[in-house]
């Protein structure tokens, strides 16, 4: 059995050969079992990582946004098998791209509509715009045109414009990481009548007391944000600007579903403990227990699982916006079937385990994030402590 002193020793070791600083907390049944803060949030000013350090969540935004959308599912605002065009009419007559045997690109209409659940499960055929596929390149052109036309623009404007892009495959047939959760965030806005940021604030952040989580800088958040570093192969760390930081500015308009939130370890731990304990924390009910079970149910068929899995995601399937553990032996993992969560590209990680009422939150801010090295060790040691 490991102890939390082993976890502290592990985290301390990370700061000697990886990120300049990191933070981790573990909780069970609504109570914090462990908090550890190590190294520096900023090397140049010698600023330490503390419980007040704010981290860019990047893709760990997805878990919050998909939870918010499922709150609206519980209220009957949509069904998962609804065509997406019922909420975004621009997606009624969309096209897909096929590459012929001779390498020619063929654009043709889709045979079946995108469904809401395809957006949750990353099977809409829309990658992120920074890839090199035909669809990604076309999405990048749309984004460049929006910037040229509007400068700053909001999520709804982008979603409507992206409907012109031929998608990468027939909806629901493959898994492709990308734009799906922007569509989920847009759905929240359409059916709630609020921006996604307003809905998150009202339905999740305020009820849970997550005062240090949001899209826009406020108060002293900017000063508390950990600096972002790039690590070279020889271990040299160089401070640089981070993706999406422009969306934290007070005059920004865009609020993304796949990235864009910041948080602290303590704030995010409260969110994960709510999910780990049946949708309720400190007497505040956010979402239903059975809806969480649906969220962490694998949505992928064998073809899609082959698209999804790699060594980092061994043993996992993918649910409604979250990885979900299906086979701990295949994952070389001492955790539970049904543990779920996600990762952020700058090094953030969460594991949420309703069978144990248990959750882990780990954060650093570095690329490459060395996620397999850091996250798998954190989860092994943390689970060894319970």
């Amino acid at each position: 059995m490991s102890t939390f002193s082993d976890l502290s020793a592990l985290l301390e070791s990370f700061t000697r050969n990886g990120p300049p600083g990191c933070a981790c907390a573990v909780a069970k049944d609504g109570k914090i079992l462990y908090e550890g803060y190590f190294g520096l949030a900023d090397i140049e000013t010698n600023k330490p990582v503390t419980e007040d350090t704010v981290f860019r969540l990047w893709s760990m935004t997805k878990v919050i946004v998909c939870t918010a959308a499922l709150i609206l599912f519980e209220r009957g605002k949509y069904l998962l098998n609804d065509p997406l065009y019922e909420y975004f009419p621009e997606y009624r007559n969309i096209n897909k791209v096929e590459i012929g045997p001779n390498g020619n690109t063929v654009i043709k209409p889709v045979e079946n509509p995108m469904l809401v659940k395809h957006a949750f499960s990353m099977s809409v055929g829309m990658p992120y715009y920074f890839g090199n596929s035909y669809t990604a390149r076309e999405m990048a052109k749309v984004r460049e045109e929006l910037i040229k036309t509007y400068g700053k623009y909001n999520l709804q404007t982008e979603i409507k414009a992206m409907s012109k892009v031929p998608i990468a495959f027939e909806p629901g047939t493959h898994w492709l990481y990308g734009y799906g959760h922007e569509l989920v965030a847009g759905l929240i806005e359409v059916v709630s009548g609020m921006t996604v940021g307003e809905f998150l604030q009202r339905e999740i952040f305020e009820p849970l007391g997550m005062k240090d989580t949001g899209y826009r800088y406020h108060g002293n958040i900017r000063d508390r944000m950990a600096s972002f570093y790039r690590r070279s192969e020889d271990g040299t760390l160089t401070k640089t600007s981070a993706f999406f930081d422009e969306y934290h500015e007070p005059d920004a308009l865009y609020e993304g579903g796949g990235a864009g939130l910041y948080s602290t370890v303590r704030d995010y731990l409260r969110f994960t403990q709510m999910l780990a304990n049946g949708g309720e924390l400190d007497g505040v009910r956010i979402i239903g227990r059975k809806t969480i079970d649906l969220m962490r149910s694998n949505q992928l068929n064998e073809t899609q699982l082959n698209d999804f899995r790699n060594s980092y995601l061994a043993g996992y399937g993918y649910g409604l916006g979250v990885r979900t553990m299906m086979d701990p032996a295949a994952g070389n993992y001492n955790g539970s079937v049904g543990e779920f969560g996600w990762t952020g590209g700058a090094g953030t990680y969460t594991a949420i385990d309703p069978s144990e009422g248990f959750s882990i939150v780990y954060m650093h801010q570095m690329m490459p994030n060395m996620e397999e090295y850091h996250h798998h060790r954190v989860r092994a040691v943390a689970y060894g402590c319970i």
Side-chain angles (χ1 to χ4, degrees):
M1 180 175 179
S2 59
T3 66
F4 287 118
S5 63
D6 295 314
L7 185 54
S8 289
L10 178 70
L11 298 169
E12 178 68 35
S13 75
F14 288 172
T15 67
R16 294 195 291 271
N17 192 39
C22 62
C24 183
V26 177
K28 180 173 169 60
D29 301 327
K31 301 196 181 304
I32 297 175
L33 303 181
Y34 173 83
E35 279 185 279
Y37 301 93
F38 298 89
L40 299 176
D42 186 90
I43 297 170
E44 288 71 18
T45 62
N46 208 40
K47 182 171 68 175
V49 173
T50 72
E51 64 271 15
D52 294 321
T53 301
V54 176
F55 297 85
R56 301 160 187 83
L57 294 180
W58 286 11
S59 286
M60 271 187 13
T61 298
K62 293 173 166 68
V63 188
I64 295 177
V65 166
C66 289
T67 300
L70 289 170
I71 293 171
L72 291 162
F73 169 77
E74 287 186 329
R75 296 176 186 173
K77 297 293 187 180
Y78 65 89
L79 295 175
L80 289 167
N81 58 342
D82 285 341
L84 201 65
Y85 64 66
E86 291 186 6
Y87 306 96
F88 297 106
E90 297 82 5
Y91 285 74
R92 180 178 289 274
N93 298 306
I94 57 174
N95 293 315
K96 63 184 177 182
V97 59
E98 291 185 358
I99 307 300
N102 59 2
N104 289 347
T105 298
V106 180
I107 307 299
K108 58 174 64 174
V110 298
E111 298 170 23
N112 299 289
M114 285 183 185
L115 304 182
V116 170
K117 68 178 180 180
H118 295 153
F120 275 95
S121 64
M122 293 292 185
S123 55
V124 290
M126 298 177 73
Y128 281 120
Y129 66 85
F130 39 76
N132 196 39
S133 67
Y134 178 91
T135 302
R137 295 195 302 271
E138 291 301 304
M139 292 176 72
K141 291 177 186 176
V142 169
R143 184 173 177 271
E144 289 164 9
E145 187 62 31
L146 288 173
I147 293 170
K148 182 178 173 182
T149 303
Y150 299 107
K152 296 180 174 66
Y153 58 86
N154 64 18
L155 178 62
Q156 293 294 321
T157 299
E158 183 182 84
I159 287 174
K160 292 172 184 177
M162 289 296 179
S163 67
K164 299 181 295 185
V165 176
I167 62 176
F169 48 76
E170 184 69 20
T173 59
H174 286 277
W175 186 90
L176 177 63
Y177 196 55
Y179 200 73
H181 294 169
E182 266 57 53
L183 298 173
V184 172
L187 177 67
I188 291 172
E189 296 188 335
V190 169
V191 302
S192 73
M194 297 181 239
T195 68
V196 64
E198 290 168 343
F199 188 81
L200 295 179
Q201 188 66 29
R202 179 179 296 187
E203 299 289 342
I204 296 177
F205 301 156
E206 286 182 6
L208 291 178
M210 296 170 65
K211 59 183 176 59
D212 292 326
T213 306
Y215 286 105
R216 308 282 183 254
Y217 293 129
H218 66 272
N220 63 351
I221 293 292
R222 187 195 301 268
D223 296 334
R224 291 162 52 198
M225 184 84 76
S227 296
F228 177 75
Y229 290 88
R230 291 195 175 273
R231 183 181 185 274
S232 64
E233 288 188 11
D234 67 3
T236 302
L237 296 169
T238 304
K239 184 162 71 171
T240 186
S241 58
F243 299 126
F244 315 120
D245 274 5
E246 66 269 27
Y247 298 134
H248 298 317
E249 296 295 340
D251 63 347
L253 301 177
Y254 192 86
E255 295 175 344
L261 289 173
Y262 56 75
S263 191
T264 61
V265 165
R266 282 184 176 177
D267 263 17
Y268 209 92
L269 190 70
R270 287 189 62 77
F271 170 71
T272 64
Q273 274 293 285
M274 175 272 294
L275 291 173
N277 289 281
E280 184 176 339
L281 185 67
D282 296 338
V284 176
R285 166 71 61 183
I286 301 296
I287 192 170
R289 176 175 59 86
K290 298 303 292 182
T291 308
I292 297 169
D293 287 346
L294 173 62
M295 184 183 196
R296 63 193 181 109
S297 296
N298 175 55
Q299 298 285 321
L300 305 185
N301 60 32
E302 286 302 314
T303 296
Q304 293 169 317
L305 284 171
N306 286 334
D307 298 332
F308 170 71
R309 285 179 175 158
N310 53 33
S311 59
Y312 180 67
L313 293 166
Y316 284 103
Y318 195 72
L320 297 176
V322 293
R323 62 163 200 274
T324 183
M325 175 49 65
M326 298 172 66
D327 186 346
N332 304 300
Y333 182 25
N334 55 343
S336 307
V337 171
E339 172 266 305
F340 69 102
W342 200 241
T343 298
T348 57
Y349 166 82
T350 190
I352 305 163
D353 185 347
S355 70
E356 298 283 351
F358 181 69
S359 62
I360 307 163
V361 174
Y362 169 85
M363 297 188 181
H364 70 236
Q365 304 277 262
M366 182 187 75
M367 284 188 73
N369 62 23
M370 299 168 63
E371 60 188 9
E372 193 161 344
Y373 181 90
H374 294 107
H375 300 166
H376 286 185
R377 282 169 170 78
V378 167
R379 72 180 190 179
V381 177
Y383 265 101
C385 293
I386 64 171

